[in-house]
Amino acid sequence: MLRKFLAIVEDTIREGLAKKTILGMLIVSTVTIIIAVLLFQMDSVQKGLLSPAGEHIKNGSNQPAPGLMGLSVLEYVWMSISMMLLVASIFVGSFVTTGFITSLMEKGNIDLLLSKPVPRWLYIVGRYSGAVLIILVEVSYLIFGLWLVAGLSLHTWSGVFLASIPLITLSFAGVYALVTLVGILTRSSWFAMIIGLAIYVLASIVVPIAQWIDKLLNGDTGGGIVTTVAKIFHYTIPSEGMGGALNEVLLSKELHSTPLFLTTGLAMVYVAIACYAFSKKEF
Amino acid sequence: MEIALSCDGLVKTYGSGTKAVHALQGVSLSVSGGEIFSLLGPNGAGKTTLIKCVLGIVFTSAGSGSVLGSPFGSVSAKEHIGYLPENHRYPAHLTGGQVLRYFGKLSGLEAAKLESQITRTLELTGMSDWRDTKVKKYSKGMMQRLGLAQALINEPQLIMLDEPTDGVDPVGRKEIREVLVRLKNEGKTIFLNSHLLSEVERISDRVVIMDHGKIVEQGTVEALTRTGNIYQLKLGNVTPEVLSALHVALLPTADGSLEMSFLTVEELNAAIDYLRGQSVLIESIVPKKSTLEDRFVDLFKSGDITHQ
């Protein structure tokens, strides 16, 4: 079984490498690292990055933002890069990898695969794992590269930046589980990506909107029925709260495990549902 | 001989209500181990659906079936089945060798065995020289050969081939036929689905003809192509009076012969005796041979197919 699983993962990675978009992502990461090398050689940049963030970054009252107290500009930059990478990995990553699920079900391919002595669920788990592995490598390459350049240039080794690698990958894995399920149900890459990401974005903003509606309806922002339903929806979509968890780790060096466990659990549930749906499909 | 594949009252309906498509309507058949069994029928007859049911690609609506002693679609049975689907497609970025390695791994072959099987099946299908060429550069015929190699990678007991010679040139078709016969001689069971009736006729032991999801005819090739006591006689200096005195059904043919139907061989001999007695010169007597294609066309042209 393990050998078959690894064969599917390997095939997914081969398919990924054959797609120029994944190679493009690696090139963009390399260019980013090269730019960082050049920037970090400059004295003014080095001094600026090592100075306290509060000197440079102010809030609306021209005061240092409370969250930045005790942080260097470099740590603030790490946080910004991590948050951008989290968003990019979810959206660009989904765009690049959605095809792995739907190509599995293409005519001429699926008959052949289903004729092999492989349980159907293994194809989904293998393809899903292959996609997550690709994003893990992409994110690791960029983050580790930047971290190495900064460490060698500035002689400061902030290991907490590296913690963003598993967190960003987990965020992608959560959303990709949802995209995988939609992909199985619709058999369309575009539908999978658009519907999956739309659900994720909607779940991110639905609670404040629901609270506003509740306030309009009965002046209550906390416990109205609309808000309750919205919260249930919000907490059943994977990766919600992962941005906050990443912020916490980078700013206060504390890891809140709830979003991690919730995302991991929900991703497993969504992949399990996708496997079940795939096992019942006829081709 | 043990049964490799059997089904009883197999029904498969796609959709429901007024949009329902009855792809299989109570199909019952059995395939013995070590034979070449062919499935024939016009497009939409249900041939591919039957294969898909066997492999669990679609699920049966009713009826039962077993393949290599396990229920249809079971993973354990598929370990011993090789399948070449119609219009198969391989990832364009892979080479022929990589395709076989991938499907060999999915078939559960161990590393050492896998490499020797890749070499063996590529040799068998005449594709050794193309092992390291990407499949996007393959012609249709080469894709078919690679498909056959893929179907044989796990040394299957049962080989199911859907149009295996589609797009293959005549020389290649002959080579594929020879491969199939060699596999049969090794004791493999071959389940063939093909439109090329002349090929089916040459290598098949038994044939099933399907139409609209039902079996309309089945038997050995010999039984299906048997024409009875019909002979083509080429006669010299024969008069219409002599012929009318024979009291047999006559049909002139394109080459100037006369096709005569007799109830028995004794009747044929009596006719010969009579003709010789009338000093008619008999240039040749050839028993009429029908082909599977004739039988197939007759069956579907006559419009009076009797469903089993």
Side-chain angles (χ1 to χ4, degrees), chain A residues 3-4 7-8 10-11 14-15 18 106 108 111-112 114-118 120 279-283, chain B residues 12 52 56-59 75 78-79 83 85 87-90 93-94 98 102 105-106 109 111 150:
Chain A
R3 201 170 146 72
K4 291 174 185 175
I8 298 166
E10 185 190 334
D11 178 61
R14 273 186 199 279
E15 190 177 320
E106 281 174 2
D111 289 4
L112 210 48
L114 295 184
S115 73
K116 299 299 168 194
V118 177
R120 284 190 180 201
S279 73
K280 296 292 173 195
K281 263 199 176 319
E282 293 189 326
F283 298 95
Chain B
K12 174 62 194 172
K52 285 185 172 188
I57 298 168
V58 299
F59 309 111
V75 171
K78 287 193 229 177
E79 283 177 5
Y83 174 49
N87 302 323
H88 54 283
R89 228 181 58 187
Y90 300 112
H93 55 274
L94 296 182
Q98 286 170 337
Y102 176 48
K105 284 179 183 174
L106 292 183
L109 290 185
Q150 171 279 130

Side-chain angles (χ1 to χ4, degrees), chain A:
Chain A
M1 189 72 89
L2 179 65
R3 201 170 146 72
K4 291 174 185 175
F5 169 73
L6 292 177
I8 298 166
V9 172
E10 185 190 334
D11 178 61
T12 311
I13 293 169
R14 273 186 199 279
E15 190 177 320
L17 290 174
K19 286 184 179 174
K20 300 291 179 274
T21 39
I22 285 176
L23 203 63
M25 281 165 66
L26 279 175
I27 291 169
V28 169
S29 299
T30 306
V31 170
T32 308
I33 292 168
I34 291 169
I35 291 170
V37 169
L38 297 173
L39 280 175
F40 287 0
Q41 297 305 311
M42 297 162 72
D43 281 346
S44 55
V45 172
Q46 287 190 5
K47 280 181 187 164
L49 286 172
L50 293 174
S51 59
E55 286 182 14
H56 305 276
I57 304 154
K58 313 281 188 186
N59 64 12
S61 327
N62 206 28
Q63 295 294 313
L68 300 178
M69 298 301 285
L71 286 180
S72 67
V73 172
L74 180 63
E75 286 171 308
Y76 180 76
V77 169
W78 283 154
M79 188 190 74
S80 304
I81 291 173
S82 297
M83 291 307 289
M84 279 191 288
L85 268 178
L86 183 131
V87 174
S89 71
I90 288 174
F91 286 87
V92 180
S94 295
F95 174 75
V96 170
T97 56
T98 307
F100 295 152
I101 299 298
T102 48
S103 69
L104 191 70
M105 297 181 285
E106 281 174 2
K107 251 184 164 17
N109 187 30
I110 187 68
D111 289 4
L112 210 48
L113 292 173
L114 295 184
S115 73
K116 299 299 168 194
V118 177
R120 284 190 180 201
W121 61 264
L122 200 62
Y123 285 114
I124 302 302
V125 174
R127 286 256 153 178
Y128 174 82
S129 304
V132 172
L133 196 61
I134 286 171
I135 298 301
L136 172 65
V137 170
E138 294 267 9
V139 170
S140 301
Y141 175 65
L142 180 56
I143 290 182
F144 189 76
L146 290 174
W147 178 79
L148 201 63
V149 168
L152 291 171
S153 307
L154 307 173
H155 307 290
T156 171
W157 302 92
S158 172
V160 75
F161 181 51
L162 294 178
S164 57
I165 294 174
L167 293 180
I168 290 171
T169 308
L170 180 61
S171 301
F172 167 77
V175 176
Y176 192 59
L178 176 63
V179 170
T180 297
L181 174 60
V182 181
I184 297 292
L185 296 175
T186 63
R187 295 193 197 182
S188 158
S189 298
W190 286 104
F191 276 134
M193 198 177 63
I194 293 167
I195 296 172
L197 292 178
I199 291 171
Y200 170 70
V201 171
L202 186 65
S204 307
I205 58 172
V206 72
V207 175
I209 294 172
Q211 287 172 337
W212 178 76
I213 292 170
D214 265 338
K215 195 176 181 184
L216 273 184
L217 292 176
N218 45 28
D220 177 16
T221 57
I225 182 72
V226 181
T227 304
T228 305
V229 171
K231 279 182 177 173
I232 291 170
F233 173 60
H234 176 82
Y235 286 113
T236 51
I237 300 302
S239 300
E240 299 296 339
M242 283 301 291
L246 182 62
N247 246 336
E248 288 293 324
V249 168
L250 294 171
L251 289 177
S252 61
K253 322 279 192 285
E254 284 176 10
L255 179 66
H256 291 280
S257 57
T258 310
L260 274 65
F261 284 124
L262 199 61
T263 296
T264 307
L266 285 171
M268 287 166 71
V269 168
Y270 276 82
V271 171
I273 297 171
C275 289
Y276 177 77
F278 187 63
S279 73
K280 296 292 173 195
K281 263 199 176 319
E282 293 189 326
F283 298 95

